[in-house]
Amino acid sequence: MVGVLAAACLTACAMGGQVRMGPVSKMLKPQPDLCDAAALIDVVGQPFTQLADYPLAGPLRVLWPEQEITDEVVPNRLNAEVTNDQLILRLSCG
């Protein structure tokens, strides 16, 4: 955990800004669909491992219940919010 926090701090310093952390529901702001989330609507409700079968426009971030995340935005990153049972609840960009 200390290593993750240290990495987040170093990333924030390199980006010249501050990194805030919070729960997924409060940190993800709506973003333009630069990650092609709309094209993947059929996998919502399916195991997140099915995303491996699709070519993604950018990196993938899997977000678990109660997980805290930073508010950094990567426009083409696909965020997959999943349940504890590994099912996809929601897909978004950022």
Side-chain angles (χ1 to χ4, degrees), residues 10-79:
L10 289 175
T11 302
C13 292
M15 293 175 9
Q18 294 183 355
V19 175
R20 298 180 313 123
M21 292 190 72
V24 171
S25 62
K26 293 186 179 184
M27 299 304 284
L28 288 182
K29 306 293 184 231
Q31 300 292 323
D33 190 10
L34 299 177
C35 66
D36 295 331
L40 299 170
I41 194 70
D42 293 341
V43 298
V44 173
Q46 302 297 316
F48 81 92
T49 54
Q50 288 200 357
L51 289 170
D53 295 336
Y54 295 88
L56 302 179
L60 170 66
R61 176 168 64 168
V62 178
L63 304 169
W64 298 92
E66 307 300 320
Q67 176 179 347
E68 289 203 352
I69 62 170
T70 65
D71 65 354
E72 77 170 309
V73 173
V74 178
N76 68 336
R77 176 174 58 197
L78 179 66
N79 294 304

